[in-house]
Amino acid sequence: MNLIDDIGRLMAGSTRLYEQWARQYGLSYNTLAVLYGVVCYPDCTQKTICTHWNLPKQTVFSACRQLAEQGWLRFSPDPNDKRGKTLHLTERGQTAALPVIEKLQHIEQGIIRDFGVSQAETFIQEWQRFTEIVARHTQEP
């Protein structure tokens, strides 16, 4: 294995941990991403979720449609985009999702506390730099 393989394995492993955690609550990783976005970002759109979690549009659309069919999610016109819609939890969705997302946020706060705020900030800066280098190299002919 080379270093890039190790990085890819660690990235996939982190996502897998979130997938396993979500399954404990009867959710898929994609559904968890949608619920997290709606709870944490005001005027959240499907595009917001795609960008933040690097998920395909169709994946997010399907998760949103499923949540709407369950009565957890409703859509409102996006004042910033005539074609877009903002996502909102219904009362039923809030009852189901808020405890799960609040628990996850509590876990994530513990992760940062254990890892260290300064180390997390450095990690983010270095990961951003790494991502920019990957983009530069993969966009070359």
Side-chain angles (χ1 to χ4, degrees):
M1 286 208 135
N2 64 43
L3 292 174
I4 293 292
D5 290 338
D6 289 341
I7 291 167
R9 183 178 47 77
L10 289 169
M11 287 171 35
S14 295
T15 300
R16 194 168 31 260
L17 291 171
Y18 273 84
E19 287 172 346
Q20 291 168 351
W21 189 87
R23 263 187 266 144
Q24 295 175 32
Y25 296 90
L27 303 171
S28 71
Y29 175 80
N30 300 329
T31 301
L32 179 65
V34 170
L35 294 174
Y36 197 100
V38 173
V39 169
C40 297
Y41 299 101
D43 299 323
C44 183
T45 64
Q46 290 182 32
K47 185 176 181 179
T48 303
I49 295 164
C50 291
T51 301
H52 279 99
W53 283 272
N54 199 28
L55 294 172
K57 279 173 56 174
Q58 184 58 40
T59 299
V60 172
F61 174 80
S62 295
C64 288
R65 186 182 68 228
Q66 181 182 27
L67 288 168
E69 288 170 359
Q70 291 175 299
W72 288 23
L73 193 66
R74 66 178 174 78
F75 306 93
S76 297
D78 183 352
N80 302 317
D81 179 358
K82 291 182 181 181
R83 296 183 315 165
K85 293 182 173 110
T86 57
L87 310 173
H88 308 277
L89 291 176
T90 63
E91 192 172 317
R92 183 176 180 186
Q94 288 179 15
T95 300
L98 288 178
V100 174
I101 300 306
E102 288 170 358
K103 182 170 179 102
L104 180 56
Q105 289 174 321
H106 179 74
I107 289 168
E108 291 173 332
Q109 290 169 358
I111 292 166
I112 295 300
R113 188 176 48 252
D114 289 355
F115 190 68
V117 172
S118 177
Q119 290 86 345
E121 289 169 346
T122 300
F123 178 76
I124 292 166
Q125 290 169 356
E126 290 300 314
W127 190 254
Q128 181 62 42
R129 188 170 82 86
F130 179 81
T131 302
E132 290 166 1
I133 292 168
V134 169
R136 188 174 70 238
H137 281 267
T138 57
Q139 292 172 4
E140 293 177 355

